[in-house]
Amino acid sequence: MTGRDENGDDGRRTGRRSTALKTVGIVLAGAIVLGVGAVGWAYRHLDDNIKSVDIDNALGDDRPAKAVTTPSPSASASPLPTGALNILVLGSDSRSGEENQELGGGSSTGARSDTAMVIHLDAGRTGATVVSIPRDTLVTRPSCPLPSGGSTAVAYDAMFNSAYAVGGPVCAVKTVESLTDVRMDHYVEIDFAGFAKLVDALGGVTVATDEDIDDDDSHLHLKAGTHHLDGRTALALARTRHGIGDGSDLGRIGLQQKLVKALLDRISTAGLLTDPARLYRVADAVTGSLTTDTGLDSLSELTSLGQSLRGLSSDAVRTVTMPVVPAASDRNRVVANEPEASDLWESLR
């Protein structure tokens, strides 16, 4: 298996995740107007919703160098950021607690990074590359600092998503940087349970599936066809893997991309900016499901990021999966396919 360009021949697939960032910016900008112009407490509530982790302080200087870019000619005239940027986006799937059990979380405990992608924004914010990293990838997990003190041990041939399980966001970032030798300028984590609330706040999403899905683990049973999903069922679709294709994570990545498109389609047609009550419910769901690094932990910072992408068109975005091949030690796992994977990461530095 090599790197897959998710755009294929269907131009509609390009730019979905860049559009997601822009959509978040629009929603939060509207929420700011709502909060300041109507009820100040709403703004404060939304701002307080966002959780953050001080990743820069935890990792110190033992990281890849920050990219050095030349500002675009228009940068001095714009208050918005325009430099190149790499953002690690994780979808965390918590299976513990009463709420997650009700959402079909299964019997396991803790949280896992079931979705991982690196979003690279080119200097000028007019082009972008989005790289999905399969959770089944075997990596060398580096030693990571722990919040309680001390550090984790180096682990060889470890599952990629184990980094989050043993060391949280800090270890996830350090593992991605070790794998790619690319500095992650920001970190954004989206909680899957919060995602379900977002879908419900939007009134559900419509998704077309190409095959029957029968997965007892995710509690999802759907016939092939078009379905209008509520939050619980949409979350099950994001989690499912055993009921589709060969049961690998690559199949789940494809389903999640469909779900992202459906969510963006719903946001674009929901009339949020003309419906303050629904706008607030959606903004509350968005901010309530986010954990960011300390550089993005406010409404104003997130909105600035979203607005800086307004010149990014969908045809200027490339969406790919990290090149992988089956692991020799375990055919149910994959490893980076070299030198293609290294060439891909080199293009993002």
Side-chain angles (χ1 to χ4, degrees):
M1 290 179 284
T2 59
R4 299 186 307 166
D5 189 328
E6 305 299 343
N7 300 336
D9 295 326
D10 186 353
R12 293 173 296 178
R13 289 193 177 189
T14 57
R16 291 179 188 171
R17 292 184 175 98
S18 67
T19 305
L21 288 174
K22 287 194 284 187
T23 301
V24 169
I26 291 171
V27 169
L28 295 179
I32 288 175
V33 172
L34 172 65
V36 174
V39 282
W41 65 264
Y43 176 92
R44 291 191 296 272
H45 170 74
L46 296 175
D47 201 56
D48 289 342
N49 266 351
I50 304 168
K51 301 177 287 295
S52 65
V53 178
D54 191 352
I55 290 173
D56 285 344
N57 183 61
L59 293 183
D61 297 327
D62 185 20
R63 308 178 67 184
K66 289 185 177 181
V68 177
T69 59
T70 302
S72 64
S74 60
S76 59
S78 172
L80 297 173
T82 59
L85 209 62
N86 292 303
I87 305 171
L88 174 61
V89 179
L90 294 186
S92 68
D93 189 6
S94 176
R95 302 283 177 130
S96 60
E98 181 178 350
E99 182 180 24
N100 283 292
Q101 290 296 313
E102 290 177 353
L103 287 169
S107 58
S108 58
T109 59
R112 308 176 303 183
S113 56
D114 275 358
T115 302
M117 55 189 176
V118 173
I119 299 178
H120 172 80
L121 304 175
D122 295 343
R125 308 286 169 92
T126 57
T129 301
V130 180
V131 184
S132 295
I133 304 175
R135 55 160 287 189
D136 290 341
T137 305
L138 297 181
V139 300
T140 296
R141 192 181 68 225
S143 175
C144 300
L146 294 172
S148 58
S151 59
T152 65
V154 176
Y156 301 96
D157 288 332
M159 285 270 288
F160 169 75
N161 70 337
S162 69
Y164 183 93
V166 303
V170 171
C171 197
V173 170
K174 189 171 181 65
T175 299
V176 169
E177 291 184 343
S178 176
L179 173 68
T180 66
D181 197 28
V182 176
R183 173 74 169 244
M184 296 296 111
D185 300 293
H186 289 299
Y187 171 83
V188 175
E189 177 186 324
I190 304 172
D191 176 73
F192 275 17
F195 166 79
K197 292 179 182 178
L198 172 60
V199 171
D200 284 335
L202 288 166
V205 294
T206 300
V207 176
T209 57
D210 299 327
E211 59 183 294
D212 294 349
I213 300 174
D214 190 14
D215 187 351
D216 290 335
D217 288 345
S218 65
H219 306 281
L220 182 65
H221 304 278
L222 285 178
K223 294 292 185 182
T226 301
H227 306 274
H228 189 74
L229 309 179
D230 62 9
R232 178 192 293 267
T233 312
L235 179 57
L237 185 66
R239 284 172 165 162
T240 196
R241 64 181 292 182
H242 299 294
I244 56 170
D246 61 0
S248 75
D249 195 44
L250 298 178
R252 173 160 52 186
I253 287 174
L255 280 179
Q256 290 173 347
Q257 289 169 348
K258 283 191 174 186
L259 195 53
V260 167
K261 181 183 184 301
L263 184 63
L264 296 176
D265 288 344
R266 180 57 185 153
I267 288 173
S268 67
T269 60
L272 297 179
L273 297 182
T274 59
D275 187 345
R278 172 170 283 185
L279 172 63
Y280 178 80
R281 290 195 300 271
V282 171
D284 192 30
V286 169
T287 55
S289 67
L290 288 182
T291 299
T292 72
D293 66 281
T294 50
L296 284 180
D297 60 353
S298 70
L299 281 179
S300 59
E301 289 164 334
L302 283 170
T303 302
S304 177
L305 172 62
Q307 291 177 333
S308 77
L309 303 178
R310 59 191 177 191
L312 184 60
S313 62
S314 62
D315 58 4
V317 177
R318 184 171 58 129
T319 308
V320 299
T321 299
M322 184 184 77
V324 294
V325 292
S329 60
D330 185 345
R331 307 302 287 180
N332 293 319
R333 303 289 180 254
V334 297
V335 295
N337 187 17
E338 299 294 359
E340 288 85 352
S342 292
D343 290 344
L344 173 60
W345 298 124
E346 175 65 28
S347 72
L348 305 187
R349 296 190 188 111

